[in-house]
Amino acid sequence: MSSRKDQNAAARMVRDQIAKEQRRKRTMWISIAAVSALVIAGLIGWGIYAGAKTTEFTAPKGANTAGNGITNGSGPVVVDEYVDFLCPHCKTFHDEAAASIDQLAADGKITLITHPVAYLDGASTNRYSTRASAASGCAAEYGKFTAFADVLFANQPAEGGAGPTDDDLIALGRQAGLGDDFAQCVRDKRFVNWAGHVSEEAGRAGVTGTPTVLVNGKPTQASAATIAAAVAAAAGATPSASTS
Amino acid sequence: MDERTGWHRAQPWVSLLVRLGLAGVFLVAGGLKVTDLAANGRAVNAYQIMSYDAAMVVGAIQPFVEIAVGLLLLIGLATRLAAWLSAGMMVAFIAGISSAWARGLNIDCGCFSKGGQLPPGVTPNYLPEIFRDVAFLAMAIFLIIYPVSRFSLDARLDRPFSAEPAEDDVLEEDSDESTDHTAQRRGRA
């Protein structure tokens, strides 16, 4: 019944079948290998994230009750400012508006809460954002946060390179009138975890970039005039002569 | 099998170009983000699609997955699977950007950067970003349809298509039993 030709055809069919089956198996193993590689890649990312999560922290003196910013003044309108000491726009904002905002706080019009976030650690080779934020915590601990922030912005490094070292930060602290206890605090990295906490809370609050300014919780353009106007509106008064 | 038309000869080369192009896209995009996972998490959070914690986890995982897919495409391993994943990611990115646009969010897409909120006064440029991702999606779909490419590990592993004679060519003459053996050997390797 089966001629030689039929046998050959049948054999070829079997061979094709086997080849197909082999290819299927190979594809399956390759796919498994590829998916494993992806899963491992994902786990690496997750592991780094979980490992970097801040846990314990102590807020410095002068921090608000939430422990995520330094307060200045005790006026009725709350102004939150989120700044990164490495962010160029924050320096521009600081140079333009810090004096008038500090005045609003001194006049008892606002409670200023400065959140020194460390968002730009990727923009310096030595985690300047985190170290500067932690050092500003030390400055707050010894009552010179505002003066130290002024010095930091006046000496802001360029993005992309190495920022001031801890020793440089200590030297900058001396310019702001800070002493040996501040130096020890910076060396002990006492507020590095706090810097992480400030950044995490800022992220949770939806702050994705710096500078971000909130007047009574409402996003406001980061400039002296708009902040003064927003504060005046929030206080239910017309802008005072001192801010115009 | 080889129909000696121009396209049949050119296709593996075109697939190679598309494969390497897409690999470059993913390696660059992942590489730029992998240095600062927290920043990428905030960029994901800026889309306001998931909770902050979920966004931070996604932000930490995504760059590594992008790099892994980029490497798979670069060496040409599991090309079709990698192309499917690329297409899936592009669809997700396009959906995310469109949704941010529709909701009037003012964000940097974070596609090739750290992303986040745009400063006031800067209007986002969503349309070019969507067009760019659609182009990448088209490349991924091309690879799904034509995954066979030159200089790929897939082709190297797929002996029947290989130019060089492999030891398994005994398959051609041997009996069923020994072929079964070969398959098992390869399966374990």
Side-chain angles (χ1 to χ4, degrees):
Chain A
M1 187 171 130
S2 65
S3 72
R4 200 185 183 96
K5 213 170 170 188
D6 285 342
Q7 271 181 348
N8 273 347
R12 198 174 306 124
M13 235 165 78
V14 169
R15 276 203 305 270
D16 284 354
Q17 207 62 35
I18 290 164
K20 207 183 263 175
E21 172 67 9
Q22 279 191 326
R23 208 168 308 144
R24 200 190 59 79
K25 256 190 194 154
R26 195 159 44 228
T27 307
M28 190 187 74
W29 282 110
I30 291 173
S31 302
I32 289 172
V35 169
S36 318
L38 289 170
V39 170
I40 290 168
L43 284 176
I44 292 172
W46 187 80
I48 292 175
Y49 163 75
K53 225 173 166 194
T54 4
T55 45
E56 295 285 296
F57 74 94
T58 343
K61 288 198 188 89
N64 57 352
T65 42
N68 62 2
I70 304 297
T71 55
N72 178 10
S74 55
V77 179
V78 177
V79 176
D80 288 276
E81 58 170 18
Y82 295 85
V83 292
D84 188 310
F85 290 116
L86 186 55
C87 129
H89 285 109
C90 300
K91 176 179 162 56
T92 312
F93 164 60
H94 185 88
D95 291 351
E96 189 255 343
S100 61
I101 295 173
D102 288 345
Q103 191 58 48
L104 287 172
D107 291 348
K109 292 204 169 78
I110 63 167
T111 301
L112 173 67
I113 305 174
T114 304
H115 307 261
V117 298
Y119 274 10
L120 299 175
D121 270 345
S124 72
T125 53
N126 55 1
R127 287 167 57 84
Y128 174 70
S129 285
T130 288
R131 290 184 303 100
S133 169
S136 78
C138 291
E141 182 83 356
Y142 299 108
K144 296 234 188 299
F145 178 82
T146 307
F148 186 62
D150 288 344
V151 174
L152 283 186
F153 278 123
N155 293 279
Q156 188 183 61
E159 285 180 298
T165 62
D166 279 356
D167 284 342
D168 296 334
L169 287 171
I170 289 166
L172 291 171
R174 295 203 195 280
Q175 285 183 36
L178 289 153
D180 292 340
D181 38 11
F182 167 80
Q184 195 57 47
C185 172
V186 172
R187 286 202 194 95
D188 290 346
K189 306 188 188 307
R190 203 182 299 165
F191 294 115
V192 165
N193 279 357
W194 176 72
H197 172 75
V198 170
S199 310
E200 195 182 321
E201 287 300 302
R204 212 174 278 283
V207 174
T208 53
T210 50
T212 291
V213 177
L214 309 177
V215 175
N216 272 359
K218 258 176 63 186
T220 304
Q221 203 190 322
S223 80
T226 46
I227 291 169
V231 167
T238 49
S240 65
S242 67
T243 55
S244 62
Chain B
M1 205 172 282
D2 187 7
E3 284 162 45
R4 302 209 180 280
T5 61
W7 171 242
H8 269 81
R9 229 170 302 161
Q11 180 265 313
W13 292 98
V14 177
S15 285
L16 171 70
L17 285 181
V18 173
R19 202 187 85 210
L20 294 183
L22 212 50
V25 167
F26 276 111
L27 289 175
V28 169
L32 284 171
K33 286 179 270 203
V34 83
T35 50
D36 197 343
L37 299 178
N40 193 49
R42 283 190 292 273
V44 176
N45 190 45
Y47 282 88
Q48 297 173 30
I49 284 170
M50 51 197 115
S51 78
Y52 176 75
D53 290 296
M56 291 309 276
V57 172
V58 169
I61 290 173
Q62 181 213 7
F64 288 93
V65 172
E66 284 184 349
I67 289 174
V69 169
L71 288 176
L72 285 178
L73 289 169
L74 186 68
I75 61 174
L77 185 69
T79 305
R80 187 172 255 162
L81 179 76
W84 270 110
L85 287 167
S86 312
M89 280 196 267
M90 286 308 163
V91 168
F93 295 158
I94 292 166
I97 297 170
S98 308
S99 128
W101 194 6
R103 285 175 294 154
L105 296 180
N106 217 29
I107 59 172
D108 177 337
C109 78
C111 306
F112 289 93
S113 68
K114 299 284 174 353
Q117 204 110 32
L118 287 170
V122 179
T123 39
N125 239 343
Y126 292 127
L127 201 59
E129 286 165 356
I130 290 175
F131 276 142
R132 188 189 54 200
D133 282 359
V134 168
F136 294 155
L137 175 63
M139 288 165 77
I141 290 171
F142 181 90
L143 272 189
I144 292 171
I145 301 169
Y146 302 107
V148 175
S149 63
R150 295 296 306 222
F151 307 121
S152 72
L153 207 53
D154 283 335
R156 181 50 58 93
L157 293 170
D158 205 5
R159 303 265 168 80
F161 286 107
S162 170
E164 45 203 11
E167 48 156 340
D168 306 42
D169 278 354
V170 280
L171 194 148
E172 296 295 315
E173 291 105 36
D174 243 320
S175 72
D176 292 1
E177 215 183 310
S178 81
T179 348
D180 237 286
H181 226 72
T182 325
Q184 275 178 8
R185 232 186 318 134
R186 206 187 271 137
R188 256 185 261 118

